[in-house]
Amino acid sequence: MTEKKEPLKWLYASIAKYFLPLLLGAVVMNVIFSTYYDFFVRPVTAGFIAYECALFWFFEKIKKRKILRFFVYTGLGLVVLTISGWLISSGWRDSGVSFIDWFYVNSQEVGSVFYYNIFLFVGLGFFLISILYYFTVYRFRIFGVMLVTMFPFVIYGKRAQNISTLSLTFMMTVFLAMMLHQKVMADDYTNKKGRRLLMNRSYVIGISLFVTFVGAVTMMLPKQQYQSQLEANRGIFKYYLNSNTTDYDDLNDVSSPRFGANSTGEILFKARSQHSISSVYLRRQSFDVFRADQWVLRDEYNTWYGARDNVDNAVNSPAYIHELMYNMAKTGRYKDLGLTEDLFGSEYKNLTPITLTGPSYSPSYIPAPLMTDVDSITDNNYNKGYRTVHGEVYFERGNSTRYGGLSVNFDYLQEGNAEYSYVNRLGFTRESFEKILTRGVYYGDITPEDYSQVIRVYDRYTDKGGITKPIADLAEDIARGCKTDFDKCEAIVDYFIDNDYIYDLDYIPDDESIDYFLFESKTGVCTSYATSMVLMARSLGIPARYVEGFAAYERNDDDEIVVRDSHAHAFVEAYIAGAGWVTFDPTVPDYKDRASEGNGNNAANAIRTFMDYFSKIALFLGVVFVLVFVIFLDRIIEFFFRIRMKFRRTTQDKTLALYKRIVRLLEISSDKDKHIRGMTPQEILQLSISREAEVSRAVSLFEQVCFGGYKPAEVEFEAAYSCYKQSWKALAGKNKKRSAKAAV
């Protein structure tokens, strides 16, 4: 019988010793996994629990070997460090995204990197497990546990994300439970070693109440708009020689993820112009190939400062194409092909000056409209040297010295009514446009290089990747009856509005394919709308490219256009024969209203603010409830014991239950090496007397009932029960300190 109980006893002891540390580690890492892993968070967390158990078992095995354990742990740490270094370097080679960018920047900006995810599990997991083991099993220091608990807050704060209320509540609850766990372990350690206890009950209750109260007050206070240097410059941990860069600095080889964006409303820069500007599309970069539901740069042109410099230069700028076509029309040699002077008017004539300023925004490109006059750029923070490639304006590395902040002035041609009217008048197809260009080369009106650049646009930007038959069929239906390429593009833009598509930043679909967006959910953000239009335009033979940048339209009290990170936008540029690249925005107009709601003081924002504060208050009350429950746990258990006593039918059952309760209280409050349950009733009585507890009547009744079959009268039991009620605190060790003082 004894042999069967020993394994069970060992199991109970192991659970009591390791359960809460393992649970806290799992909760903390689950919160961290939730911000880095798009899927499989629960399976990964389950795997991490197994990882924790394995390392805890290993640490326990080497714990008793005082000299050897140092070398073994150091060796294991070096192995993990080596693996971590290999994972980080492999992630950099595979994705081109630095680990600092991936670790600190919102995942929607840099994407997911498999190698970094593995490092998070193996390397960071090993580090946190080691800290947890040391401060919860080997040493008992609540400060070390607090460091582990604070780690998710550092990550979420740097990445401008919010920990969910449920995760935060659970993590804080487990942390508070760990505080009590540390006390129990410290008590046991003190009793075995004969040392003075440093952390008592009053300390635990006091520090718990203080932390809870201060944390709750901090959560409920309104957030001020002041920013530290760390908040203002998210790239503060980046290390570049002679530069002050930010996370928005570099152009990417892949587009942003289409779902789950999490902007902060942070102001990146401001724009001011002497001319009236209602809104403007500021380009960041374009992409040409759609692979695996994401836009990428074509492999042979994936270097911004290499081969890509010679591709699609200024010849395909709308202003350049317009001037070229106008000069050809004046010769009169192309009338039979439809190129006549009456097609032209006052379009592409008026330059609009604009100034961009941002003290902490230091890009390697200028967020600028499509038709920017590069020669007009003046910049106090950069040496002269800019180039336009694919419409992106960036500085030439060899001729520039970079400083912090953005402060540039330049001119650009607006795409207004006159420009769109001109494009709409053109009725050229690809075939007729090529005939005009071929004849132009023959007569010397254009160069062979210009001709090849235009033709290359059709070869490059009509890639059929990602175009399914349903998408192609839909494009054909939309374009039916349209005479020109411009009409077809306009029809695609109108299709989303006319068919009640929805703009929703918070929507994450079960299926991220474009087919699902177009035919099932009809709900998404700008990335889905722009991608859909590019694919449909290409299926119709119209060159189109996916562009990421900013939609600038919000004005402040100083009549400046304010550009926030929440104004990041994806739109489309389609190549119209005879006109060049033309901007289209297929996203339903709701997105401007939604962004304004997030930054304005309206009813919806007030409701969201109220709900936010309500959730924080609810969290505070929940934590207080848990804390009070833990503090008064013994009283709560006693309360339910007395309720159950009322439902016992016979005085014999009540007597046995009362004696069992007395033994249980003595067992909880006594040293673990005392076998209370193995004591005789008289030994139990003597131990109770030493606690100044009067339970002699209850013990006497128990002996009579248990050994003599006696049936006590109700009055006898009530007398014994009354004495117990006055003595239960003494049995539980509550009067130990008071008794000690009285003895002195």
Side-chain angles (χ1 to χ4, degrees):
M1 191 72 177
T2 304
E3 295 179 357
K4 292 182 180 179
K5 288 186 177 180
E6 286 301 323
L8 190 61
K9 184 178 180 180
W10 172 85
L11 178 62
Y12 287 154
S14 299
I15 292 176
K17 186 176 182 181
Y18 303 118
F19 175 73
L20 277 177
L22 292 173
L23 179 61
L24 181 62
V27 171
V28 168
M29 288 303 293
N30 177 262
V31 173
I32 296 175
F33 288 148
S34 297
T35 192
Y36 289 106
Y37 288 68
D38 295 329
F39 305 101
F40 309 117
V41 175
R42 291 180 181 177
V44 171
T45 304
F48 184 78
I49 294 174
Y51 186 34
E52 279 187 300
C53 293
L55 285 179
F56 266 52
W57 175 84
F58 177 75
F59 293 155
E60 283 289 274
K61 287 295 182 182
I62 65 173
K63 179 180 178 181
K64 297 180 180 180
R65 303 178 181 273
K66 296 184 178 181
I67 299 178
L68 182 62
R69 68 189 180 195
F70 170 79
F71 295 101
V72 173
Y73 179 80
T74 303
L76 180 60
L78 290 175
V79 171
V80 174
L81 186 63
T82 303
I83 295 174
S84 300
W86 177 82
L87 289 170
I88 292 175
S89 60
S90 298
W92 167 253
R93 289 194 304 268
D94 184 67
S95 66
V97 177
S98 70
F99 176 76
I100 295 297
D101 282 341
W102 177 87
F103 191 76
Y104 280 117
V105 183
N106 191 301
S107 301
Q108 309 309 319
E109 297 179 33
V110 298
S112 177
V113 181
F114 174 75
Y115 290 101
Y116 294 160
N117 287 341
I118 298 299
F119 163 76
L120 192 71
F121 185 98
V122 176
L124 181 62
F126 179 82
F127 174 70
L128 291 183
I129 293 170
S130 299
I131 294 178
L132 269 177
Y133 177 83
Y134 185 80
F135 287 114
T136 62
V137 178
Y138 191 78
R139 293 284 187 269
F140 312 114
R141 299 292 183 270
I142 198 64
F143 179 73
V145 181
M146 186 181 297
L147 289 178
V148 175
T149 310
M150 291 302 296
F151 206 82
F153 292 94
V154 175
I155 294 176
Y156 274 75
K158 181 62 179 174
R159 293 164 66 90
Q161 293 177 299
N162 295 319
I163 302 177
S164 70
T165 302
L166 179 61
S167 298
L168 184 60
T169 303
F170 192 36
M171 189 164 61
M172 292 181 67
T173 301
V174 177
F175 174 71
L176 292 174
M178 272 300 307
M179 295 180 67
L180 297 181
H181 170 82
Q182 293 290 73
K183 180 183 183 302
V184 173
M185 297 301 295
D187 279 342
D188 184 55
Y189 179 79
T190 301
N191 291 329
K192 288 182 178 180
K193 300 295 183 181
R195 299 179 182 178
R196 185 171 59 89
L197 180 63
L198 298 178
M199 182 171 59
N200 54 30
R201 181 184 182 87
S202 299
Y203 173 83
V204 173
I205 295 175
I207 196 66
S208 300
L209 287 173
F210 176 78
V211 171
T212 304
F213 176 76
V214 172
V217 170
T218 303
M219 286 189 296
M220 289 186 289
L221 287 176
K223 182 180 179 181
Q224 300 299 320
Q225 297 302 316
Y226 302 110
Q227 285 186 316
S228 65
Q229 178 63 24
L230 176 62
E231 293 173 317
N233 181 8
R234 294 186 181 184
I236 196 169
F237 288 119
K238 287 187 174 182
Y239 181 71
Y240 294 103
L241 291 175
N242 302 321
S243 67
N244 180 23
T245 61
T246 71
D247 291 322
Y248 302 98
D249 173 74
D250 298 322
L251 299 171
N252 303 321
D253 292 335
V254 297
S255 63
S256 301
R258 291 199 295 112
F259 300 99
N262 186 18
S263 60
T264 65
E266 172 190 1
I267 296 178
L268 301 180
F269 57 94
K270 298 177 182 178
R272 178 182 287 274
S273 177
Q274 297 175 352
H275 294 189
S276 176
I277 304 175
S278 59
S279 63
V280 60
Y281 294 100
L282 303 174
R283 309 173 82 263
R284 185 168 184 252
Q285 66 180 122
S286 62
F287 299 90
D288 53 359
V289 179
F290 191 62
R291 297 175 181 165
D293 290 325
Q294 192 173 37
W295 287 98
V296 299
L297 298 175
R298 195 181 297 269
D299 293 339
E300 60 266 34
Y301 304 118
N302 62 2
T303 303
W304 281 99
Y305 307 100
R308 205 164 187 248
D309 289 356
N310 300 318
V311 180
D312 189 23
N313 58 24
V315 69
N316 286 308
S317 166
Y320 186 95
I321 290 288
H322 177 267
E323 183 180 1
L324 183 68
M325 296 291 285
Y326 179 67
N327 291 333
M328 293 172 67
K330 288 192 299 183
T331 66
R333 291 192 284 260
Y334 307 91
K335 289 183 179 180
D336 59 315
L337 297 176
L339 181 58
T340 59
E341 288 188 70
D342 59 359
L343 290 174
F344 301 88
S346 61
E347 63 278 349
Y348 303 113
K349 299 295 183 183
N350 300 317
L351 286 172
T352 299
I354 190 170
T355 300
L356 304 181
T357 56
S360 62
Y361 189 69
S362 302
S364 58
Y365 60 91
I366 294 180
L370 177 63
M371 291 179 285
T372 297
D373 182 8
V374 178
D375 294 331
S376 70
I377 297 176
T378 57
D379 188 349
N380 296 327
N381 291 341
Y382 292 72
N383 290 335
K384 185 71 175 180
Y386 289 88
R387 180 177 295 185
T388 302
V389 176
H390 294 214
E392 287 94 42
V393 181
Y394 67 94
F395 80 99
E396 295 178 282
R397 284 187 174 177
N399 300 326
S400 293
T401 302
R402 302 175 55 205
Y403 302 92
L406 175 68
S407 179
V408 296
N409 304 278
F410 58 86
D411 298 329
Y412 75 98
L413 290 169
Q414 287 193 61
E415 290 181 286
N417 294 331
E419 286 70 31
Y420 282 110
S421 178
Y422 162 72
V423 176
N424 194 32
R425 291 195 297 269
L426 300 179
F428 302 121
T429 63
R430 174 179 179 177
E431 291 73 18
S432 61
F433 188 41
E434 285 191 27
K435 288 180 181 180
I436 293 173
L437 296 176
T438 303
R439 188 179 297 182
V441 173
Y442 176 78
Y443 286 112
D445 294 332
I446 66 170
T447 66
E449 290 78 13
D450 287 348
Y451 172 83
S452 64
Q453 289 286 1
V454 173
I455 297 304
R456 192 164 190 172
V457 168
Y458 283 93
D459 295 336
R460 177 172 185 175
Y461 292 102
T462 53
D463 183 273
K464 303 299 182 182
I467 302 175
T468 62
K469 188 177 185 304
I471 293 176
D473 292 342
L474 177 61
E476 288 290 341
D477 292 339
I478 294 173
R480 188 171 289 114
C482 297
K483 296 180 179 179
T484 65
D485 289 348
F486 181 79
D487 288 340
K488 295 175 183 178
C489 291
E490 286 283 272
I492 294 174
V493 172
D494 294 338
Y495 170 79
F496 296 106
I497 300 175
D498 296 339
N499 288 272
D500 300 323
Y501 278 73
I502 300 171
Y503 180 85
D504 189 348
L505 276 172
D506 301 323
Y507 176 71
I508 298 179
D510 297 330
D511 184 345
E512 296 188 3
S513 67
I514 293 299
D515 288 76
Y516 187 81
F517 165 72
L518 283 173
F519 305 108
E520 297 293 336
S521 70
K522 295 187 176 182
T523 303
V525 293
C526 57
T527 52
S528 297
Y529 288 95
T531 298
S532 300
M533 179 172 178
V534 173
L535 296 182
M536 286 193 283
R538 289 184 176 187
S539 72
L540 297 172
I542 304 172
R545 61 191 181 193
Y546 174 89
V547 185
E548 289 185 345
F550 304 95
Y553 51 84
E554 179 189 342
R555 287 189 177 274
N556 60 18
D557 296 336
D558 297 327
D559 202 35
E560 296 174 313
I561 295 180
V562 176
V563 181
R564 306 174 185 270
D565 63 348
S566 55
H567 295 160
H569 193 57
F571 45 94
V572 177
E573 290 174 354
Y575 192 87
I576 306 300
W581 294 106
V582 179
T583 303
F584 296 90
D585 187 2
T587 305
V588 291
D590 298 5
Y591 76 87
K592 294 184 179 180
D593 297 332
R594 287 290 302 275
S596 298
E597 288 177 5
N599 301 318
N601 295 321
N602 49 33
N605 194 34
I607 293 174
R608 282 193 297 271
T609 302
F610 171 77
M611 292 304 296
D612 181 53
Y613 281 114
F614 179 77
S615 64
K616 292 175 181 178
I617 294 173
L619 173 62
F620 169 66
L621 294 177
V623 172
V624 170
F625 173 78
V626 172
L627 189 60
V628 171
F629 184 85
V630 172
I631 294 174
F632 297 102
L633 180 61
D634 49 0
R635 291 173 174 81
I636 294 173
I637 294 175
E638 178 66 21
F639 174 73
F640 281 105
F641 165 73
R642 296 184 184 185
I643 290 179
R644 291 197 303 271
M645 287 291 286
K646 293 182 179 180
F647 291 94
R648 295 186 181 276
R649 296 182 179 180
T650 65
T651 54
Q652 290 178 311
D653 290 339
K654 292 180 180 180
T655 300
L656 296 176
L658 182 61
Y659 182 80
K660 184 179 179 181
R661 177 63 179 162
I662 293 171
V663 173
R664 178 58 180 163
L665 289 175
L666 291 172
E667 185 179 31
I668 292 174
S669 59
S670 301
D671 296 337
K672 293 184 178 180
D673 55 352
K674 288 187 178 181
H675 301 287
I676 304 298
R677 294 190 181 185
M679 291 183 175
T680 64
Q682 289 303 312
E683 289 175 327
I684 292 293
L685 179 59
Q686 292 302 317
L687 182 59
S688 301
I689 292 174
S690 68
R691 299 281 184 90
E692 298 184 355
E694 174 51 53
V695 292
S696 57
R697 294 187 179 184
V699 173
S700 175
L701 279 182
F702 169 76
E703 289 180 316
Q704 296 178 58
V705 170
C706 186
F707 303 115
Y710 180 68
K711 294 182 180 180
E714 190 69 33
V715 175
E716 290 180 283
F717 173 77
E718 287 299 331
Y721 191 32
S722 178
C723 292
Y724 162 80
K725 289 179 180 179
Q726 298 176 12
S727 303
W728 80 272
K729 289 185 179 180
L731 293 171
K734 305 293 181 181
N735 297 337
K736 186 182 296 184
K737 292 182 180 180
R738 188 168 57 192
S739 299
K741 291 180 181 179
V744 174

